[in-house]
Amino acid sequence: MSDQEQFEADHFFRRTVKEMNPDEQPREKLMTYGSESLSDAELLAILLRTGSKKMNVIQMAQALLNHFDGLRYLARKEWQDLKVIPGMGDVKSLMLEAVFELSRRIQVAGLGEQVQITSPEDAVAYFGPKLRDLTREVFLVAFLNNAKIVMGHKKISSGGATATIVDPAEVMRQAVMNEANSILLLHNHPSGQNKESKADIRLTRRIAESGKLLGIPVDDHIIIAGDSYTSFRAKGHLN
């Protein structure tokens, strides 16, 4: 019987990671060739460690990527969503959500403990990683001192995929409680469309008017939409 006739396809595709050649095993590849040589599925497989009865760990990682349309969208999911893949129990799912959150925090870690916001770019660099991957619309207010240093921020509301309800009085109450000299408004558009709506403009102006009465100006309102953004001040909505 020839080698070709002896080939068992089912066994080949159901191999465990230990049955693979060393060059195919993620940990061994990382040690030999470096992390940049690994695919997204192989890197995920190292984190997941083990597969299931139906899939080895690399196949499980690839199933996650396929089901959620790639790493970017996978990182946006909550741990409960990941359990749709067979073998993804609580421990694996919670671990991946923790890793994705750490990656977002790493993106802003280089800004230091005191973050100064004097431009839309500064705001996006700090708050972009916190907002761009969310699947629900969230409205934040950031509290700034006289030097435009961020003293903290507060989630005012969280809605659906297209809208959230914001009470201007609550925004200003939080600003007063946090002794803000000025505030920065931010919200995300999960759709990826960065165009402001008429309702966004009306809300921004209402909050800005309230701020004038209290002596707490609104520096800007930033919409985070994936990798793009919109500045209300740059577009003349706060002039």
Side-chain angles (χ1 to χ4, degrees), residues 193-237:
Q193 299 295 320
N194 65 5
K195 184 173 175 56
E196 70 279 21
S197 67
K198 291 181 179 179
D200 290 334
I201 297 171
R202 287 195 297 269
L203 172 64
T204 303
R205 288 175 175 167
R206 286 176 61 197
I207 296 174
E209 288 300 318
S210 299
K212 288 179 182 178
L213 293 175
L214 294 172
I216 305 174
V218 174
D219 287 347
D220 205 344
H221 184 171
I222 305 290
I223 295 175
I224 304 290
D227 292 324
S228 63
Y229 69 90
T230 289
S231 162
F232 281 55
R233 183 165 296 283
K235 299 190 79 169
H237 300 313

Side-chain angles (χ1 to χ4, degrees), residues 61-217:
Q62 191 61 60
L64 281 165
L65 293 168
N66 291 348
H67 185 76
F68 294 110
D69 296 322
L71 194 58
R72 177 65 181 272
Y73 292 100
L74 174 61
R76 298 174 67 171
K77 300 301 178 181
E78 297 179 351
W79 69 273
Q80 297 94 330
D81 300 323
L82 307 184
K83 294 169 67 176
V84 69
I85 303 299
M88 284 294 297
D90 290 352
V91 173
K92 283 183 169 64
S93 300
L94 287 165
M95 182 273 301
L96 282 189
E97 180 166 337
V99 167
F100 295 142
E101 177 59 26
L102 276 173
S103 72
R104 286 187 280 269
R105 296 187 186 189
I106 288 169
Q107 292 180 59
V108 301
L111 300 176
E113 294 184 4
Q114 286 198 330
V115 178
Q116 185 179 47
I117 294 182
T118 59
S119 69
E121 291 76 19
D122 292 338
V124 173
Y126 185 65
F127 288 101
K130 303 177 189 294
L131 292 172
R132 67 168 58 101
D133 290 333
L134 299 180
T135 56
R136 297 178 181 178
E137 190 166 303
V138 170
F139 190 100
L140 301 181
V141 55
F143 314 112
L144 311 180
N145 64 16
N146 276 329
K148 303 302 179 185
I149 301 293
V150 178
M151 299 186 296
H153 64 274
K154 175 76 174 179
K155 180 170 73 173
I156 300 298
S157 66
S158 175
T162 58
T164 182
I165 299 173
V166 177
D167 180 3
E170 176 61 16
V171 173
M172 298 317 302
R173 186 178 79 86
Q174 291 294 332
V176 171
M177 287 177 57
N178 286 275
E179 301 180 346
N181 293 104
S182 65
I183 58 175
L184 175 69
L185 311 176
L186 307 105
H187 79 277
N188 64 308
H189 280 180
S191 66
Q193 299 295 320
N194 65 5
K195 184 173 175 56
E196 70 279 21
S197 67
K198 291 181 179 179
D200 290 334
I201 297 171
R202 287 195 297 269
L203 172 64
T204 303
R205 288 175 175 167
R206 286 176 61 197
I207 296 174
E209 288 300 318
S210 299
K212 288 179 182 178
L213 293 175
L214 294 172
I216 305 174

